[in-house]
Amino acid sequence: LDSFYIGNLKGVGKVYQLTAVDTCARWAIIKLIIGPVTTADTTRFIDHVTKVMRRLGIPVRNVLTDNGPEYKGFAFRRHLDEVGLVHMRIPPRSPNHNAVCERFQGTMLQECWRPAFHRRHFGSIRQLQTEADAWLIRYNTRRRNHGDYMAGRRPIDIIDTHTIKQPA
């Protein structure tokens, strides 16, 4: 998990993006938030992520985050304990430990946000979330990833392989 500051948009306010990326399949889930990200936002996002991943047939067991205040809060840690997730934090000032999520955010910035802000004006968080969701469908199901690990595969390819191999 990671949070990413998108910008201060006229008519909307300060917009942040909560990002979750599965390190095996590279399946990404995001949620946009107005204002600073709080522990309550991250706990709701965890519930959303576990529900989406469960629908895909992938269990969530661990959560890797940086040391942001939204992930260090007592309510966040207690919620992870309640839902049975192990929380691991990366060392301070070492974003390379959370490289999968950081790389995804850079890709989303280059391929989604910059072109979208160049094309049109967004007047609400709902419009921004719709734009992000449309791009995520392309990223998760049609866009080939060419890193060493993915080798041209799409996230949906890895999930399909995972669900086929599971015992009945």
Side-chain angles (χ1 to χ4, degrees):
L1 290 177
D2 199 12
S3 55
F4 175 67
Y5 177 67
I6 293 175
N8 192 358
L9 304 179
K10 184 184 262 187
V12 178
K14 291 184 178 183
V15 179
Y16 291 83
Q17 171 181 305
L18 288 173
T19 307
V21 181
D22 179 63
T23 55
C24 176
R26 302 300 199 259
W27 190 272
I29 302 166
I30 70 146
K31 180 73 176 157
L32 299 179
I33 306 291
I34 295 178
V37 180
T38 64
T39 303
D41 295 326
T42 55
T43 56
R44 282 192 302 273
F45 185 60
I46 282 288
D47 292 339
H48 174 68
V49 168
T50 53
K51 185 175 17 169
V52 168
M53 296 307 279
R54 193 177 322 118
R55 271 191 253 134
L56 292 169
I58 298 177
V60 177
R61 294 186 185 109
N62 299 322
V63 174
L64 178 68
T65 67
D66 57 15
N67 291 293
E70 63 271 23
Y71 304 117
K72 289 170 68 174
F74 176 73
F76 180 72
R77 288 182 286 138
R78 186 183 57 193
H79 182 71
L80 290 179
D81 288 339
E82 289 171 2
V83 296
L85 297 176
V86 176
H87 184 209
M88 299 183 303
R89 292 197 313 226
I90 64 173
R93 292 172 299 285
S94 50
N96 55 328
H97 284 77
N98 202 6
V100 173
C101 202
E102 298 288 343
R103 178 64 255 172
F104 170 79
Q105 289 175 337
T107 300
M108 188 164 190
L109 178 64
Q110 288 296 115
E111 295 181 10
C112 177
W113 293 127
R114 286 185 178 155
F117 292 143
H118 186 69
R119 280 192 313 270
R120 63 183 280 215
H121 171 75
F122 293 93
S124 71
I125 192 82
R126 190 171 285 159
Q127 290 174 336
L128 285 165
Q129 188 70 51
T130 302
E131 182 79 22
D133 291 341
W135 184 83
L136 269 178
I137 290 169
R138 180 182 165 274
Y139 177 85
N140 287 327
T141 61
R142 294 192 299 268
R143 182 188 182 275
R144 297 199 177 276
N145 295 322
H146 295 288
D148 289 340
Y149 173 74
M150 292 299 281
R153 296 177 294 177
R154 303 168 299 173
I156 193 74
D157 296 335
I158 295 174
I159 288 177
D160 288 345
T161 303
H162 171 75
T163 53
I164 290 169
K165 292 182 179 179
Q166 283 188 345

